[in-house]
Amino acid sequence: MAAPGSRGRSLSGLLPAQTSLEYALLDAVTQQEKDSLVYQYLQKVDGWEQDLSVPEFPEGLEWLNTEEPISVYKDLCGKIVILDFFTYCCINCIHLLPDLHALEHTYSDKDGLLIIGVHSAKFPNEKVLDNIKSAVLRYNITHPVVNDADASLWQELEVSCWPTLVILGPRGNMLFSLIGEGHKDKLFLYTSIALKYYKDRGQIRDDKIGIKLYKDSLPPSPLLFPGKVTVDQVTNRLVIADTGHHRILVVWKNGQIQYSIGGPNPGRKDGIFSESTFNSPQGVAIMNNIIYVADTQNHLIRKIDLEAEKVSTVAGIGIQGTDKEGGAKGEQQPISSPWDVVFGTSGSEVQRGDILWIAMAGTHQIWALLLDSGKLPKKNELTKGTCLRFAGSGNEENRNNAYPHKAGFAQPSGLSLASEDPWSCLFVADSESSTVRTISLKDGAVKHLVGGERDPMNLFAFGDVDGVGINAKLQHPLGVTWDKKRNLLYVADSYNHKIKVVDPKTKNCTTLAGTGDTHNITSSSFTESTFNEPGGLCIGENGQLLYVADTNNHQIKMMDLETKMVSVLPIFRSENAVVDGPFLVEKQKTLPKLPKSAPSIRLSPVTVCAGQTLQFKLRLELPSGSKLTEGVPSCWFLRAEGNEWLLQGQIPSGDIENISSQPTISLQIPDDCLSLEAIVSVSVFLYYCSADSSACMMKAILFSQPLQITDTQQGCIAPVELSC
């Protein structure tokens, strides 16, 4: 196919025609009218004497999720292509991903559609391929991504902001552009009509593009992109947002897991621990056996009750909100990408921890959730459960102001509280302005502490410079924590891969640890230590330890503030299973041979669709008076002979530690199904003894579950009970 002509390559060439279309769509009432208007628009654009053609991808660019580099005019001929110009730090780009995932579930390359992420970095750190790889894994991006590190395509097309979508026809001809988030309806409308229009003309090809997912090359990991960490000052337990595994871990200070809540797949469900699910949780705060969680991609604040072992929702409606004022009761109040949470106290001075402060990254604001009736600075009495904006106009700015509603933040992502005088403030890691700011708890005034620059509209004043106030430079900081013992603030300077320390009295900011190298060193001195995009941190052990969520190294690191040494917190499930590396390649359990006497139970077929999660609940009984054998782990195994693709990335086996609290086995149906029918088997082996331990036995059962896989979206699937 010929290379593009010379009509022009700027998106501005589409502007007059597309603007007319969008005005006409405002007056359209029925779906048929809208479809017809888009079809007529395509007839017009397709009839131009010369295509408005996209340039070819430059040679030598780095690609992810593909078998080889892709060419617009060789590989994409006959496809409707969506170019997603994004940068992985951008909250608006993150908000767009669910729309693209939904589109990919509706149309595949066989239908003639392909999405390509064009990563055009804002920060220097985002140009590094390994960091983009981590983001691709973190956000479950399964389409091809090209690292346009020098923004050559961005500049040629005159793209102006993140995110921008450009929809191409089967000749590489530009058809539409969509700027910013929130255009899901238009995205689906334009794409579906473009596919129909060009299919009617016989120009759509159903050949497959060579996809090779980066995530398929990774070994399993005990932690996956842990985002935030906090400490229970009463028990010294840690609460870890294991973001990539979509779960919350509660661990003792030696690293032994006490509770694992949620995961391994994303979801949104309240209830008992074994049934509850999260979606990329970030901020966590704990007090009196209650944990509050910023369930970021569910756009919710969740509450974990460790005594009742239940999860509930206390704010948000489960879809991204656009409200920038709030004021409704939590469960009725839409919110947007909460990134961190911290306890605070109302003006009553009687109660403690009756406010939950929220870094609302999605609307660039700081919000408050009233955990009990109380007052915010300069506010009337508010009732329990109210969720509302406290500071930030909602404009993405680096604007300080004595009036909190007139201040501007840029993706605030970390919070810490210094309630004592003379500080009496919230510290805010404002990631996109690369600053740390303060909010007075007395009058709400927003002030600058370190980083950034004086122009409130300049969000590109970043760097890696120790200094005082505005002369210090940070790069996309994500976390802050207050050291009450030393009156110092620690900062996770994420994209500089360092931990900084700030004296709020002098505004002096210096490097505490981290060389800036991302190569993982697991034990070292502060001066030799390394981190990789650390996202959260907290103070523990009465001020001796600084815990760091070393996000892209998949670890929690411990910084001893007295000895100046850094080590890794081992995460382990039992005394015999220590995990202390960035990735753990576990030795796979060998499936024991089923005895001939073992019953084989064939279950009724279940209809599922791609992306759904099927749960098997074990409900097995032992003979009266018997108990599981100590020291011989009872276990279960998941198999799919002849359809092993079903189990890629799944947990294939596990232990049964307690007959009264048997595990639930999850199976997420892959997005790309190689067969419409399959049989999954669950083998269970129970090793048990009589009450007096005079005799020990084994009970084995094989359950066979036929699956019928359909393209049609299914409703909620009831868990399958495995009983015998």
Side-chain angles (χ1 to χ4, degrees):
M1 183 176 182
S6 58
R7 176 184 170 86
R9 293 175 170 179
S10 168
L11 292 179
S12 60
L14 284 174
L15 191 59
Q18 190 172 333
T19 301
S20 297
L21 168 65
E22 291 179 351
Y23 275 119
L25 286 171
L26 292 174
D27 296 326
V29 177
T30 67
Q31 189 61 49
Q32 186 176 0
E33 289 177 302
K34 294 177 182 179
D35 293 353
S36 178
L37 284 169
V38 177
Y39 203 91
Q40 291 168 25
Y41 166 87
L42 287 171
Q43 287 177 316
K44 177 181 177 181
V45 172
D46 199 48
W48 284 345
E49 185 176 334
Q50 195 168 33
D51 287 338
L52 186 62
S53 299
V54 72
E56 180 61 272
F57 294 116
E59 290 186 10
L61 295 186
E62 299 165 313
W63 287 82
L64 293 172
N65 287 344
T66 62
E67 293 176 347
E68 56 188 7
I70 289 175
S71 163
V72 174
Y73 295 98
K74 293 177 183 176
D75 304 309
L76 302 182
C77 176
K79 302 288 185 191
I80 300 299
V81 178
I82 298 174
L83 301 180
D84 172 25
F85 287 86
F86 78 110
T87 186
Y88 71 77
C89 73
C90 166
I91 193 67
N92 309 94
C93 300
I94 295 169
H95 287 164
L96 184 62
L97 288 174
D99 295 350
L100 297 178
H101 291 326
L103 194 65
E104 287 175 302
H105 282 143
T106 306
Y107 304 105
S108 68
D109 53 356
K110 278 199 162 189
D111 299 310
L113 177 72
L114 186 70
I115 297 172
I116 295 179
V118 183
H119 192 272
S120 305
K122 171 184 175 180
F123 294 99
N125 181 69
E126 294 175 323
K127 296 182 179 182
V128 179
L129 185 66
D130 281 346
N131 298 336
I132 301 172
K133 283 181 179 179
S134 293
V136 164
L137 181 62
R138 191 157 64 238
Y139 298 122
N140 194 30
I141 297 173
T142 55
H143 50 252
V145 172
V146 60
N147 181 14
D148 187 21
D150 296 325
S152 55
L153 282 172
W154 172 286
Q155 292 166 9
E156 282 205 61
L157 292 180
E158 297 180 11
V159 175
S160 60
C161 73
W162 297 280
T164 293
L165 299 180
V166 181
I167 303 178
L168 308 180
R171 303 186 299 274
N173 48 321
M174 289 190 277
L175 303 176
F176 307 93
S177 69
L178 294 169
I179 297 174
E181 59 171 295
H183 303 298
K184 183 178 180 180
D185 290 344
K186 283 184 182 176
L187 174 63
F188 272 73
L189 174 64
Y190 294 168
T191 302
S192 63
I193 301 303
L195 285 167
K196 176 177 173 16
Y197 176 86
Y198 285 106
K199 277 182 181 175
D200 289 347
R201 282 152 181 75
Q203 296 182 34
I204 295 295
R205 289 171 27 181
D206 63 358
D207 53 312
K208 290 184 71 68
I209 303 297
I211 301 294
K212 183 179 180 182
L213 296 184
Y214 168 62
K215 68 179 183 180
D216 290 343
S217 65
L218 293 175
S221 161
L223 293 175
L224 191 63
F225 301 109
K228 301 288 184 183
V229 59
T230 194
V231 66
D232 181 355
Q233 299 295 347
V234 176
T235 64
N236 282 327
R237 290 177 298 182
L238 287 177
V239 182
I240 302 167
D242 189 8
T243 309
H245 286 141
H246 311 285
R247 65 178 179 171
I248 303 300
L249 294 180
V250 180
V251 305
W252 298 109
K253 63 180 181 179
N254 65 350
Q256 182 176 357
I257 296 173
Q258 182 187 18
Y259 297 105
S260 176
I261 311 155
N265 301 309
R268 175 199 164 197
K269 188 175 182 181
D270 290 340
I272 61 175
F273 283 1
S274 62
E275 296 176 347
S276 301
T277 53
F278 300 86
N279 192 346
S280 300
Q282 287 283 346
V284 282
I286 183 170
M287 185 182 293
N288 299 328
N289 276 323
I290 300 294
I291 301 170
Y292 287 93
V293 180
D295 193 5
T296 304
Q297 290 196 29
N298 275 329
H299 309 286
L300 298 173
I301 302 297
R302 312 286 291 283
K303 175 183 175 181
I304 299 174
D305 187 327
L306 294 179
E307 290 184 357
E309 297 193 356
K310 286 189 176 180
V311 177
S312 58
T313 296
V314 294
I317 61 174
I319 58 175
Q320 182 192 342
T322 57
D323 183 2
K324 295 182 180 179
E325 291 293 335
K329 292 292 184 182
E331 300 99 315
Q332 285 83 47
Q333 178 60 56
I335 60 176
S336 179
S337 295
W339 211 275
D340 203 5
V341 288
V342 67
F343 287 108
T345 300
S346 70
S348 67
E349 296 296 336
V350 177
Q351 299 161 314
R352 304 297 297 176
D354 56 355
I355 292 174
L356 189 72
W357 298 109
I358 306 167
M360 202 70 76
T363 56
H364 313 291
Q365 296 172 313
I366 306 301
W367 282 47
L369 173 66
L370 276 292
L371 304 178
D372 205 339
S373 297
K375 293 179 68 174
L376 297 178
K378 295 187 175 181
K379 288 278 187 182
N380 295 326
E381 188 79 12
L382 296 166
T383 59
K384 179 180 178 179
T386 305
C387 187
L388 75 167
R389 176 264 296 253
F390 175 58
S393 64
N395 298 324
E396 190 174 7
E397 300 173 333
N398 174 21
R399 189 179 299 278
N400 302 300
N401 201 291
Y403 298 93
H405 286 189
K406 293 185 177 180
F409 295 91
Q411 210 170 304
S413 301
L415 294 175
S416 191
L417 182 76
S419 57
E420 66 275 15
D421 287 329
W423 318 110
S424 188
C425 70
L426 273 172
F427 293 103
V428 182
D430 199 37
S431 62
E432 281 293 283
S433 67
S434 294
T435 63
V436 175
R437 326 269 288 283
T438 63
I439 307 176
S440 170
L441 296 176
K442 295 180 177 179
D443 59 15
V446 177
K447 297 180 181 179
H448 171 268
L449 185 60
V450 293
E453 70 135 284
R454 290 183 174 83
D455 180 359
M457 304 306 293
N458 182 6
L459 302 182
F460 287 80
F462 53 81
D464 184 8
V465 180
D466 289 352
V468 177
I470 214 160
N471 294 318
K473 291 291 178 277
L474 308 169
Q475 189 180 177
H476 200 77
L478 289 174
V480 282
T481 194
W482 176 242
D483 184 348
K484 185 177 180 179
K485 179 179 177 180
R486 300 174 181 84
N487 286 334
L488 294 173
L489 182 75
Y490 302 107
V491 181
D493 192 4
S494 305
Y495 284 6
N496 283 326
H497 315 292
K498 293 181 178 180
I499 306 302
K500 303 284 179 75
V501 59
V502 178
D503 182 341
K505 186 175 182 179
T506 63
K507 292 191 173 184
N508 188 39
C509 175
T510 56
T511 298
L512 178 68
T515 62
D517 183 4
T518 58
H519 178 70
N520 190 29
I521 299 175
T522 56
S523 182
S524 65
S525 66
F526 280 14
T527 55
E528 297 173 337
S529 60
T530 60
F531 303 90
N532 193 339
E533 293 192 14
L537 64 182
C538 67
I539 288 281
E541 296 293 315
N542 296 316
Q544 180 180 346
L545 293 181
L546 179 64
Y547 293 98
V548 180
D550 193 5
T551 303
N552 283 5
N553 279 328
H554 315 289
Q555 293 172 328
I556 301 298
K557 285 182 175 169
M558 300 181 293
M559 298 176 57
D560 191 315
L561 297 171
E562 296 177 3
T563 66
K564 308 298 182 186
M565 293 297 293
V566 181
S567 58
V568 175
L569 177 71
I571 303 295
F572 61 96
R573 298 177 184 85
S574 68
E575 294 180 3
N576 300 321
V578 177
V579 172
D580 57 6
F583 284 106
L584 175 70
V585 182
E586 294 181 341
K587 184 177 180 180
Q588 294 296 317
K589 292 186 178 73
T590 302
L591 177 64
K593 188 173 182 180
L594 281 162
K596 291 181 179 180
S597 59
S600 180
I601 301 173
R602 187 175 179 88
L603 304 166
S604 300
V606 171
T607 301
V608 293
C609 71
Q612 280 194 307
T613 299
L614 181 62
Q615 291 187 323
F616 298 98
K617 286 189 173 184
L618 293 180
R619 295 285 188 268
L620 304 175
E621 295 182 359
L622 294 178
S624 178
S626 59
K627 60 182 180 180
L628 292 179
T629 306
E630 294 183 11
V632 182
S634 297
C635 50
W636 57 265
F637 295 84
L638 200 57
R639 293 290 184 269
E641 290 187 16
N643 289 285
E644 284 76 11
W645 53 271
L646 262 173
L647 303 184
Q648 284 190 5
Q650 313 276 356
I651 298 177
S653 61
D655 291 340
I656 303 171
E657 298 175 354
N658 191 331
I659 199 68
S660 63
S661 179
Q662 297 176 43
T664 297
I665 303 165
S666 293
L667 171 67
Q668 184 176 32
I669 308 302
D671 291 334
D672 297 318
C673 296
L674 304 183
S675 173
L676 298 181
E677 292 185 350
I679 295 178
V680 174
S681 66
V682 180
S683 305
V684 184
F685 299 84
L686 297 178
Y687 299 92
Y688 63 98
C689 298
S690 57
D692 59 3
S693 298
S694 62
C696 292
M697 293 144 280
M698 187 265 280
K699 178 179 180 179
I701 314 105
L702 173 66
F703 297 93
S704 297
Q705 176 64 73
L707 300 179
Q708 295 175 348
I709 304 171
T710 176
D711 293 333
T712 307
Q713 189 70 34
Q714 301 293 303
C716 185
I717 309 173
V720 177
E721 289 208 357
L722 306 183
S723 59
C724 184

